[in-house]
Structures are given as structure tokens and as C-alpha cells.
Amino acid sequence: SSDFAEPLRVLFAIGSLEQGGAELRLVELLNRLDRRRFAPALYLMEKRGGLLSRLPPGIPIAAFHPAGHKPALPWRALGFFAPETARMFHLRSVARRCQAQVIVGWVLQSAYEALDAARVL
């Protein structure tokens, strides 16, 4: 039994789901999380990678670079001049939209951007 009233909303951020050790571990974690305790969402810098098909059903996915599309014009313009800043602000907007209580940057670059986004939530 659980004493939690509602699941903790966790947004995981990573570059993509190309085959790699860190990416595989994240997919395994997402498949094993107790959904009664955690409500995971996924943020990708680029929505690509063979591991996308191994994600559990029902996980919301947002991406700075959606598969086969360019980012929306404001993000693309900011990204041209300051790519890290653009990704951080986009991640922040996604975190607010999904009402994330925790942001987990899964690899080093994503961790830096998640930290910056969390500071300005």
C-alpha cells in the first residue's frame, strides 16, 4: 500500500533515444517505474532513436526537434543564436505544461539544461 495521494510528476530529459547505455537504462527505468507512485514524462532534444519503440505506452513525449520537423520558428530563431538557451527555455515550457514536480537530466548535457530550466520554473 502507498501513502502517496497522487503520483510524483517526473520529467526525464535526454538528447535522443539512439541505442546507447544511458539511453537503454532510461528506457528500462521508465518500463519499471511504479505508475501508482510516479507519473513520468519524457523530453528529448531530438525525437529519434531505435529505443523509442521500447518505451512503455502512455508516456507523454515532447521534443525540441520533433521527428521529421524543425522546431517552431521562435525556438529555431533563438536556437540559431543561443542553442543551449533555446533548449533550456523550451524544456522549461514543457516542464510547466506537464506540471513536472521533478526534472531529471539523464546525461551530462541534459542535466545542465534541466538544472537551468528548473531554476526558472
PDB file of all heavy atoms in Angstrom, residues 27-63:
ATOM      1  N   VAL A  27      15.213   3.824 -20.659  1.00  0.00           N
ATOM      2  CA  VAL A  27      14.045   3.088 -21.151  1.00  0.00           C
ATOM      3  C   VAL A  27      13.676   1.973 -20.170  1.00  0.00           C
ATOM      4  O   VAL A  27      12.498   1.767 -19.866  1.00  0.00           O
ATOM      5  CB  VAL A  27      14.299   2.537 -22.577  1.00  0.00           C
ATOM      6  CG1 VAL A  27      13.202   1.569 -23.001  1.00  0.00           C
ATOM      7  CG2 VAL A  27      14.400   3.693 -23.572  1.00  0.00           C
ATOM      8  N   GLU A  28      14.670   1.277 -19.646  1.00  0.00           N
ATOM      9  CA  GLU A  28      14.397   0.225 -18.661  1.00  0.00           C
ATOM     10  C   GLU A  28      13.745   0.808 -17.410  1.00  0.00           C
ATOM     11  O   GLU A  28      12.794   0.237 -16.866  1.00  0.00           O
ATOM     12  CB  GLU A  28      15.681  -0.506 -18.287  1.00  0.00           C
ATOM     13  CG  GLU A  28      16.192  -1.401 -19.385  1.00  0.00           C
ATOM     14  CD  GLU A  28      17.550  -2.010 -19.067  1.00  0.00           C
ATOM     15  OE1 GLU A  28      18.200  -1.602 -18.073  1.00  0.00           O
ATOM     16  OE2 GLU A  28      17.969  -2.913 -19.819  1.00  0.00           O
ATOM     17  N   LEU A  29      14.249   1.941 -16.936  1.00  0.00           N
ATOM     18  CA  LEU A  29      13.664   2.589 -15.763  1.00  0.00           C
ATOM     19  C   LEU A  29      12.217   2.972 -16.031  1.00  0.00           C
ATOM     20  O   LEU A  29      11.327   2.716 -15.206  1.00  0.00           O
ATOM     21  CB  LEU A  29      14.474   3.821 -15.362  1.00  0.00           C
ATOM     22  CG  LEU A  29      13.881   4.657 -14.234  1.00  0.00           C
ATOM     23  CD1 LEU A  29      13.918   3.896 -12.914  1.00  0.00           C
ATOM     24  CD2 LEU A  29      14.615   5.973 -14.112  1.00  0.00           C
ATOM     25  N   LEU A  30      11.963   3.589 -17.176  1.00  0.00           N
ATOM     26  CA  LEU A  30      10.597   4.011 -17.499  1.00  0.00           C
ATOM     27  C   LEU A  30       9.654   2.815 -17.569  1.00  0.00           C
ATOM     28  O   LEU A  30       8.479   2.926 -17.210  1.00  0.00           O
ATOM     29  CB  LEU A  30      10.585   4.789 -18.817  1.00  0.00           C
ATOM     30  CG  LEU A  30      11.260   6.162 -18.759  1.00  0.00           C
ATOM     31  CD1 LEU A  30      11.376   6.763 -20.150  1.00  0.00           C
ATOM     32  CD2 LEU A  30      10.534   7.091 -17.810  1.00  0.00           C
ATOM     33  N   ASN A  31      10.146   1.682 -18.014  1.00  0.00           N
ATOM     34  CA  ASN A  31       9.325   0.477 -18.084  1.00  0.00           C
ATOM     35  C   ASN A  31       9.058  -0.131 -16.711  1.00  0.00           C
ATOM     36  O   ASN A  31       8.098  -0.873 -16.534  1.00  0.00           O
ATOM     37  CB  ASN A  31       9.978  -0.568 -18.991  1.00  0.00           C
ATOM     38  CG  ASN A  31       9.620  -0.353 -20.436  1.00  0.00           C
ATOM     39  OD1 ASN A  31       8.482  -0.569 -20.835  1.00  0.00           O
ATOM     40  ND2 ASN A  31      10.577   0.101 -21.230  1.00  0.00           N
ATOM     41  N   ARG A  32       9.895   0.175 -15.743  1.00  0.00           N
ATOM     42  CA  ARG A  32       9.770  -0.440 -14.412  1.00  0.00           C
ATOM     43  C   ARG A  32       9.194   0.475 -13.339  1.00  0.00           C
ATOM     44  O   ARG A  32       8.902   0.017 -12.242  1.00  0.00           O
ATOM     45  CB  ARG A  32      11.130  -0.944 -13.959  1.00  0.00           C
ATOM     46  CG  ARG A  32      11.621  -2.077 -14.823  1.00  0.00           C
ATOM     47  CD  ARG A  32      12.956  -2.558 -14.410  1.00  0.00           C
ATOM     48  NE  ARG A  32      13.374  -3.631 -15.313  1.00  0.00           N
ATOM     49  CZ  ARG A  32      14.533  -4.226 -15.241  1.00  0.00           C
ATOM     50  NH1 ARG A  32      15.401  -3.865 -14.316  1.00  0.00           N
ATOM     51  NH2 ARG A  32      14.840  -5.174 -16.084  1.00  0.00           N
ATOM     52  N   LEU A  33       9.049   1.749 -13.627  1.00  0.00           N
ATOM     53  CA  LEU A  33       8.528   2.671 -12.617  1.00  0.00           C
ATOM     54  C   LEU A  33       7.117   2.281 -12.193  1.00  0.00           C
ATOM     55  O   LEU A  33       6.273   1.949 -13.023  1.00  0.00           O
ATOM     56  CB  LEU A  33       8.492   4.098 -13.156  1.00  0.00           C
ATOM     57  CG  LEU A  33       9.770   4.907 -13.088  1.00  0.00           C
ATOM     58  CD1 LEU A  33       9.557   6.281 -13.721  1.00  0.00           C
ATOM     59  CD2 LEU A  33      10.275   5.065 -11.675  1.00  0.00           C
ATOM     60  N   ASP A  34       6.869   2.354 -10.918  1.00  0.00           N
ATOM     61  CA  ASP A  34       5.546   2.100 -10.363  1.00  0.00           C
ATOM     62  C   ASP A  34       4.669   3.317 -10.675  1.00  0.00           C
ATOM     63  O   ASP A  34       4.873   4.404 -10.125  1.00  0.00           O
ATOM     64  CB  ASP A  34       5.664   1.891  -8.853  1.00  0.00           C
ATOM     65  CG  ASP A  34       4.343   1.579  -8.178  1.00  0.00           C
ATOM     66  OD1 ASP A  34       3.269   1.750  -8.802  1.00  0.00           O
ATOM     67  OD2 ASP A  34       4.385   1.181  -6.996  1.00  0.00           O
ATOM     68  N   ARG A  35       3.709   3.145 -11.571  1.00  0.00           N
ATOM     69  CA  ARG A  35       2.866   4.262 -12.007  1.00  0.00           C
ATOM     70  C   ARG A  35       1.930   4.739 -10.906  1.00  0.00           C
ATOM     71  O   ARG A  35       1.328   5.795 -11.023  1.00  0.00           O
ATOM     72  CB  ARG A  35       2.052   3.879 -13.243  1.00  0.00           C
ATOM     73  CG  ARG A  35       2.888   3.578 -14.469  1.00  0.00           C
ATOM     74  CD  ARG A  35       3.602   4.855 -14.931  1.00  0.00           C
ATOM     75  NE  ARG A  35       4.322   4.608 -16.143  1.00  0.00           N
ATOM     76  CZ  ARG A  35       3.825   4.725 -17.366  1.00  0.00           C
ATOM     77  NH1 ARG A  35       2.584   5.099 -17.530  1.00  0.00           N
ATOM     78  NH2 ARG A  35       4.569   4.473 -18.411  1.00  0.00           N
ATOM     79  N   ARG A  36       1.784   3.982  -9.838  1.00  0.00           N
ATOM     80  CA  ARG A  36       0.987   4.472  -8.707  1.00  0.00           C
ATOM     81  C   ARG A  36       1.762   5.533  -7.947  1.00  0.00           C
ATOM     82  O   ARG A  36       1.172   6.382  -7.291  1.00  0.00           O
ATOM     83  CB  ARG A  36       0.623   3.321  -7.773  1.00  0.00           C
ATOM     84  CG  ARG A  36      -0.332   2.302  -8.415  1.00  0.00           C
ATOM     85  CD  ARG A  36      -0.445   1.082  -7.567  1.00  0.00           C
ATOM     86  NE  ARG A  36       0.896   0.467  -7.524  1.00  0.00           N
ATOM     87  CZ  ARG A  36       1.185  -0.650  -6.903  1.00  0.00           C
ATOM     88  NH1 ARG A  36       0.256  -1.288  -6.227  1.00  0.00           N
ATOM     89  NH2 ARG A  36       2.400  -1.147  -6.922  1.00  0.00           N
ATOM     90  N   ARG A  37       3.093   5.481  -8.040  1.00  0.00           N
ATOM     91  CA  ARG A  37       3.940   6.431  -7.300  1.00  0.00           C
ATOM     92  C   ARG A  37       4.550   7.508  -8.190  1.00  0.00           C
ATOM     93  O   ARG A  37       4.900   8.585  -7.706  1.00  0.00           O
ATOM     94  CB  ARG A  37       5.051   5.671  -6.591  1.00  0.00           C
ATOM     95  CG  ARG A  37       4.483   4.705  -5.541  1.00  0.00           C
ATOM     96  CD  ARG A  37       5.557   3.986  -4.815  1.00  0.00           C
ATOM     97  NE  ARG A  37       6.305   4.950  -4.018  1.00  0.00           N
ATOM     98  CZ  ARG A  37       7.484   4.688  -3.471  1.00  0.00           C
ATOM     99  NH1 ARG A  37       8.039   3.517  -3.618  1.00  0.00           N
ATOM    100  NH2 ARG A  37       8.104   5.603  -2.772  1.00  0.00           N
ATOM    101  N   PHE A  38       4.722   7.214  -9.483  1.00  0.00           N
ATOM    102  CA  PHE A  38       5.387   8.141 -10.402  1.00  0.00           C
ATOM    103  C   PHE A  38       4.591   8.296 -11.688  1.00  0.00           C
ATOM    104  O   PHE A  38       4.088   7.316 -12.230  1.00  0.00           O
ATOM    105  CB  PHE A  38       6.794   7.639 -10.754  1.00  0.00           C
ATOM    106  CG  PHE A  38       7.677   7.476  -9.562  1.00  0.00           C
ATOM    107  CD1 PHE A  38       7.850   6.235  -8.970  1.00  0.00           C
ATOM    108  CD2 PHE A  38       8.326   8.573  -9.006  1.00  0.00           C
ATOM    109  CE1 PHE A  38       8.650   6.074  -7.854  1.00  0.00           C
ATOM    110  CE2 PHE A  38       9.131   8.419  -7.882  1.00  0.00           C
ATOM    111  CZ  PHE A  38       9.290   7.172  -7.314  1.00  0.00           C
ATOM    112  N   ALA A  39       4.502   9.528 -12.167  1.00  0.00           N
ATOM    113  CA  ALA A  39       3.878   9.841 -13.450  1.00  0.00           C
ATOM    114  C   ALA A  39       4.979  10.405 -14.346  1.00  0.00           C
ATOM    115  O   ALA A  39       5.241  11.608 -14.342  1.00  0.00           O
ATOM    116  CB  ALA A  39       2.751  10.846 -13.267  1.00  0.00           C
ATOM    117  N   PRO A  40       5.655   9.537 -15.099  1.00  0.00           N
ATOM    118  CA  PRO A  40       6.788  10.010 -15.903  1.00  0.00           C
ATOM    119  C   PRO A  40       6.358  10.657 -17.218  1.00  0.00           C
ATOM    120  O   PRO A  40       5.321  10.326 -17.788  1.00  0.00           O
ATOM    121  CB  PRO A  40       7.572   8.718 -16.173  1.00  0.00           C
ATOM    122  CG  PRO A  40       6.527   7.653 -16.193  1.00  0.00           C
ATOM    123  CD  PRO A  40       5.499   8.084 -15.174  1.00  0.00           C
ATOM    124  N   ALA A  41       7.180  11.587 -17.658  1.00  0.00           N
ATOM    125  CA  ALA A  41       7.073  12.187 -18.987  1.00  0.00           C
ATOM    126  C   ALA A  41       8.502  12.247 -19.526  1.00  0.00           C
ATOM    127  O   ALA A  41       9.469  12.173 -18.756  1.00  0.00           O
ATOM    128  CB  ALA A  41       6.451  13.570 -18.924  1.00  0.00           C
ATOM    129  N   LEU A  42       8.637  12.365 -20.823  1.00  0.00           N
ATOM    130  CA  LEU A  42       9.956  12.315 -21.453  1.00  0.00           C
ATOM    131  C   LEU A  42      10.161  13.532 -22.343  1.00  0.00           C
ATOM    132  O   LEU A  42       9.280  13.881 -23.141  1.00  0.00           O
ATOM    133  CB  LEU A  42      10.091  11.028 -22.271  1.00  0.00           C
ATOM    134  CG  LEU A  42      11.413  10.770 -22.968  1.00  0.00           C
ATOM    135  CD1 LEU A  42      12.563  10.669 -21.968  1.00  0.00           C
ATOM    136  CD2 LEU A  42      11.330   9.487 -23.792  1.00  0.00           C
ATOM    137  N   TYR A  43      11.320  14.168 -22.198  1.00  0.00           N
ATOM    138  CA  TYR A  43      11.708  15.295 -23.050  1.00  0.00           C
ATOM    139  C   TYR A  43      12.960  14.892 -23.815  1.00  0.00           C
ATOM    140  O   TYR A  43      13.960  14.490 -23.213  1.00  0.00           O
ATOM    141  CB  TYR A  43      11.999  16.544 -22.208  1.00  0.00           C
ATOM    142  CG  TYR A  43      12.394  17.723 -23.050  1.00  0.00           C
ATOM    143  CD1 TYR A  43      11.428  18.525 -23.627  1.00  0.00           C
ATOM    144  CD2 TYR A  43      13.728  18.026 -23.282  1.00  0.00           C
ATOM    145  CE1 TYR A  43      11.782  19.613 -24.410  1.00  0.00           C
ATOM    146  CE2 TYR A  43      14.092  19.109 -24.061  1.00  0.00           C
ATOM    147  CZ  TYR A  43      13.113  19.900 -24.629  1.00  0.00           C
ATOM    148  OH  TYR A  43      13.467  20.960 -25.406  1.00  0.00           O
ATOM    149  N   LEU A  44      12.893  14.983 -25.135  1.00  0.00           N
ATOM    150  CA  LEU A  44      14.024  14.649 -25.998  1.00  0.00           C
ATOM    151  C   LEU A  44      14.492  15.896 -26.728  1.00  0.00           C
ATOM    152  O   LEU A  44      13.682  16.695 -27.194  1.00  0.00           O
ATOM    153  CB  LEU A  44      13.609  13.592 -27.030  1.00  0.00           C
ATOM    154  CG  LEU A  44      13.086  12.270 -26.464  1.00  0.00           C
ATOM    155  CD1 LEU A  44      12.466  11.439 -27.582  1.00  0.00           C
ATOM    156  CD2 LEU A  44      14.201  11.519 -25.787  1.00  0.00           C
ATOM    157  N   MET A  45      15.807  16.058 -26.841  1.00  0.00           N
ATOM    158  CA  MET A  45      16.327  17.148 -27.673  1.00  0.00           C
ATOM    159  C   MET A  45      15.983  16.864 -29.138  1.00  0.00           C
ATOM    160  O   MET A  45      15.613  17.752 -29.882  1.00  0.00           O
ATOM    161  CB  MET A  45      17.838  17.299 -27.499  1.00  0.00           C
ATOM    162  CG  MET A  45      18.276  17.630 -26.087  1.00  0.00           C
ATOM    163  SD  MET A  45      17.491  19.121 -25.465  1.00  0.00           S
ATOM    164  CE  MET A  45      17.764  18.911 -23.725  1.00  0.00           C
ATOM    165  N   GLU A  46      16.110  15.590 -29.525  1.00  0.00           N
ATOM    166  CA  GLU A  46      15.745  15.156 -30.875  1.00  0.00           C
ATOM    167  C   GLU A  46      14.922  13.890 -30.753  1.00  0.00           C
ATOM    168  O   GLU A  46      15.351  12.924 -30.139  1.00  0.00           O
ATOM    169  CB  GLU A  46      16.986  14.871 -31.712  1.00  0.00           C
ATOM    170  CG  GLU A  46      17.847  16.085 -31.952  1.00  0.00           C
ATOM    171  CD  GLU A  46      19.043  15.753 -32.820  1.00  0.00           C
ATOM    172  OE1 GLU A  46      18.847  15.170 -33.901  1.00  0.00           O
ATOM    173  OE2 GLU A  46      20.166  16.053 -32.387  1.00  0.00           O
ATOM    174  N   LYS A  47      13.725  13.897 -31.337  1.00  0.00           N
ATOM    175  CA  LYS A  47      12.859  12.722 -31.251  1.00  0.00           C
ATOM    176  C   LYS A  47      13.275  11.723 -32.326  1.00  0.00           C
ATOM    177  O   LYS A  47      12.749  11.702 -33.432  1.00  0.00           O
ATOM    178  CB  LYS A  47      11.391  13.101 -31.404  1.00  0.00           C
ATOM    179  CG  LYS A  47      10.461  11.947 -31.083  1.00  0.00           C
ATOM    180  CD  LYS A  47       9.024  12.356 -31.086  1.00  0.00           C
ATOM    181  CE  LYS A  47       8.148  11.169 -30.754  1.00  0.00           C
ATOM    182  NZ  LYS A  47       6.743  11.563 -30.761  1.00  0.00           N
ATOM    183  N   ARG A  48      14.264  10.905 -31.950  1.00  0.00           N
ATOM    184  CA  ARG A  48      14.757   9.876 -32.849  1.00  0.00           C
ATOM    185  C   ARG A  48      15.408   8.778 -32.018  1.00  0.00           C
ATOM    186  O   ARG A  48      15.728   8.977 -30.857  1.00  0.00           O
ATOM    187  CB  ARG A  48      15.755  10.443 -33.857  1.00  0.00           C
ATOM    188  CG  ARG A  48      17.009  11.012 -33.222  1.00  0.00           C
ATOM    189  CD  ARG A  48      17.983  11.564 -34.277  1.00  0.00           C
ATOM    190  NE  ARG A  48      19.033  12.325 -33.652  1.00  0.00           N
ATOM    191  CZ  ARG A  48      20.141  11.794 -33.108  1.00  0.00           C
ATOM    192  NH1 ARG A  48      20.324  10.491 -33.126  1.00  0.00           N
ATOM    193  NH2 ARG A  48      21.057  12.561 -32.561  1.00  0.00           N
ATOM    194  N   GLY A  49      15.572   7.631 -32.646  1.00  0.00           N
ATOM    195  CA  GLY A  49      16.277   6.542 -31.986  1.00  0.00           C
ATOM    196  C   GLY A  49      15.468   5.258 -31.948  1.00  0.00           C
ATOM    197  O   GLY A  49      14.246   5.269 -31.794  1.00  0.00           O
ATOM    198  N   GLY A  50      16.178   4.162 -32.083  1.00  0.00           N
ATOM    199  CA  GLY A  50      15.556   2.850 -32.095  1.00  0.00           C
ATOM    200  C   GLY A  50      14.890   2.471 -30.790  1.00  0.00           C
ATOM    201  O   GLY A  50      14.029   1.586 -30.769  1.00  0.00           O
ATOM    202  N   LEU A  51      15.252   3.120 -29.700  1.00  0.00           N
ATOM    203  CA  LEU A  51      14.662   2.772 -28.405  1.00  0.00           C
ATOM    204  C   LEU A  51      13.285   3.397 -28.187  1.00  0.00           C
ATOM    205  O   LEU A  51      12.601   3.057 -27.226  1.00  0.00           O
ATOM    206  CB  LEU A  51      15.613   3.168 -27.272  1.00  0.00           C
ATOM    207  CG  LEU A  51      16.926   2.380 -27.223  1.00  0.00           C
ATOM    208  CD1 LEU A  51      17.872   2.974 -26.195  1.00  0.00           C
ATOM    209  CD2 LEU A  51      16.661   0.915 -26.920  1.00  0.00           C
ATOM    210  N   LEU A  52      12.868   4.295 -29.083  1.00  0.00           N
ATOM    211  CA  LEU A  52      11.530   4.882 -28.959  1.00  0.00           C
ATOM    212  C   LEU A  52      10.461   3.801 -28.930  1.00  0.00           C
ATOM    213  O   LEU A  52       9.493   3.897 -28.177  1.00  0.00           O
ATOM    214  CB  LEU A  52      11.256   5.853 -30.117  1.00  0.00           C
ATOM    215  CG  LEU A  52      11.897   7.228 -30.020  1.00  0.00           C
ATOM    216  CD1 LEU A  52      11.828   7.945 -31.356  1.00  0.00           C
ATOM    217  CD2 LEU A  52      11.231   8.056 -28.932  1.00  0.00           C
ATOM    218  N   SER A  53      10.657   2.765 -29.723  1.00  0.00           N
ATOM    219  CA  SER A  53       9.654   1.695 -29.810  1.00  0.00           C
ATOM    220  C   SER A  53       9.600   0.845 -28.546  1.00  0.00           C
ATOM    221  O   SER A  53       8.664   0.078 -28.361  1.00  0.00           O
ATOM    222  CB  SER A  53       9.936   0.805 -31.016  1.00  0.00           C
ATOM    223  OG  SER A  53      11.178   0.137 -30.845  1.00  0.00           O
ATOM    224  N   ARG A  54      10.582   0.981 -27.676  1.00  0.00           N
ATOM    225  CA  ARG A  54      10.626   0.180 -26.450  1.00  0.00           C
ATOM    226  C   ARG A  54      10.084   0.925 -25.234  1.00  0.00           C
ATOM    227  O   ARG A  54      10.101   0.396 -24.127  1.00  0.00           O
ATOM    228  CB  ARG A  54      12.049  -0.300 -26.191  1.00  0.00           C
ATOM    229  CG  ARG A  54      12.494  -1.250 -27.320  1.00  0.00           C
ATOM    230  CD  ARG A  54      13.867  -1.784 -27.164  1.00  0.00           C
ATOM    231  NE  ARG A  54      14.053  -2.494 -25.899  1.00  0.00           N
ATOM    232  CZ  ARG A  54      15.229  -2.951 -25.494  1.00  0.00           C
ATOM    233  NH1 ARG A  54      16.295  -2.786 -26.256  1.00  0.00           N
ATOM    234  NH2 ARG A  54      15.352  -3.568 -24.342  1.00  0.00           N
ATOM    235  N   LEU A  55       9.606   2.147 -25.448  1.00  0.00           N
ATOM    236  CA  LEU A  55       9.014   2.909 -24.341  1.00  0.00           C
ATOM    237  C   LEU A  55       7.675   2.288 -23.959  1.00  0.00           C
ATOM    238  O   LEU A  55       6.942   1.794 -24.812  1.00  0.00           O
ATOM    239  CB  LEU A  55       8.788   4.362 -24.745  1.00  0.00           C
ATOM    240  CG  LEU A  55      10.028   5.234 -24.862  1.00  0.00           C
ATOM    241  CD1 LEU A  55       9.676   6.579 -25.468  1.00  0.00           C
ATOM    242  CD2 LEU A  55      10.692   5.415 -23.502  1.00  0.00           C
ATOM    243  N   PRO A  56       7.340   2.356 -22.681  1.00  0.00           N
ATOM    244  CA  PRO A  56       6.029   1.849 -22.269  1.00  0.00           C
ATOM    245  C   PRO A  56       4.929   2.763 -22.814  1.00  0.00           C
ATOM    246  O   PRO A  56       5.157   3.948 -23.046  1.00  0.00           O
ATOM    247  CB  PRO A  56       6.090   1.891 -20.746  1.00  0.00           C
ATOM    248  CG  PRO A  56       7.137   2.887 -20.417  1.00  0.00           C
ATOM    249  CD  PRO A  56       8.118   2.869 -21.564  1.00  0.00           C
ATOM    250  N   PRO A  57       3.742   2.208 -23.005  1.00  0.00           N
ATOM    251  CA  PRO A  57       2.641   3.048 -23.516  1.00  0.00           C
ATOM    252  C   PRO A  57       2.235   4.103 -22.501  1.00  0.00           C
ATOM    253  O   PRO A  57       2.386   3.924 -21.293  1.00  0.00           O
ATOM    254  CB  PRO A  57       1.513   2.031 -23.746  1.00  0.00           C
ATOM    255  CG  PRO A  57       1.852   0.852 -22.912  1.00  0.00           C
ATOM    256  CD  PRO A  57       3.350   0.831 -22.773  1.00  0.00           C
ATOM    257  N   GLY A  58       1.734   5.202 -23.020  1.00  0.00           N
ATOM    258  CA  GLY A  58       1.157   6.226 -22.159  1.00  0.00           C
ATOM    259  C   GLY A  58       2.108   7.267 -21.609  1.00  0.00           C
ATOM    260  O   GLY A  58       1.683   8.128 -20.844  1.00  0.00           O
ATOM    261  N   ILE A  59       3.382   7.212 -21.982  1.00  0.00           N
ATOM    262  CA  ILE A  59       4.315   8.232 -21.502  1.00  0.00           C
ATOM    263  C   ILE A  59       4.284   9.411 -22.466  1.00  0.00           C
ATOM    264  O   ILE A  59       4.583   9.253 -23.650  1.00  0.00           O
ATOM    265  CB  ILE A  59       5.745   7.675 -21.380  1.00  0.00           C
ATOM    266  CG1 ILE A  59       5.793   6.673 -20.238  1.00  0.00           C
ATOM    267  CG2 ILE A  59       6.746   8.809 -21.140  1.00  0.00           C
ATOM    268  CD1 ILE A  59       7.165   6.218 -19.863  1.00  0.00           C
ATOM    269  N   PRO A  60       3.927  10.599 -21.970  1.00  0.00           N
ATOM    270  CA  PRO A  60       3.957  11.771 -22.847  1.00  0.00           C
ATOM    271  C   PRO A  60       5.401  12.073 -23.272  1.00  0.00           C
ATOM    272  O   PRO A  60       6.319  11.995 -22.464  1.00  0.00           O
ATOM    273  CB  PRO A  60       3.409  12.898 -21.972  1.00  0.00           C
ATOM    274  CG  PRO A  60       2.794  12.235 -20.783  1.00  0.00           C
ATOM    275  CD  PRO A  60       3.458  10.899 -20.634  1.00  0.00           C
ATOM    276  N   ILE A  61       5.559  12.408 -24.554  1.00  0.00           N
ATOM    277  CA  ILE A  61       6.880  12.723 -25.092  1.00  0.00           C
ATOM    278  C   ILE A  61       6.815  14.103 -25.737  1.00  0.00           C
ATOM    279  O   ILE A  61       5.933  14.372 -26.554  1.00  0.00           O
ATOM    280  CB  ILE A  61       7.325  11.694 -26.152  1.00  0.00           C
ATOM    281  CG1 ILE A  61       7.354  10.293 -25.561  1.00  0.00           C
ATOM    282  CG2 ILE A  61       8.691  12.067 -26.723  1.00  0.00           C
ATOM    283  CD1 ILE A  61       7.588   9.203 -26.604  1.00  0.00           C
ATOM    284  N   ALA A  62       7.760  14.956 -25.370  1.00  0.00           N
ATOM    285  CA  ALA A  62       7.919  16.258 -26.012  1.00  0.00           C
ATOM    286  C   ALA A  62       9.345  16.311 -26.546  1.00  0.00           C
ATOM    287  O   ALA A  62      10.243  15.663 -26.012  1.00  0.00           O
ATOM    288  CB  ALA A  62       7.693  17.386 -25.018  1.00  0.00           C
ATOM    289  N   ALA A  63       9.545  17.071 -27.615  1.00  0.00           N
ATOM    290  CA  ALA A  63      10.875  17.147 -28.212  1.00  0.00           C
ATOM    291  C   ALA A  63      11.146  18.546 -28.742  1.00  0.00           C
ATOM    292  O   ALA A  63      10.257  19.194 -29.282  1.00  0.00           O
ATOM    293  CB  ALA A  63      11.014  16.127 -29.331  1.00  0.00           C
TER     294      ALA A  63
END
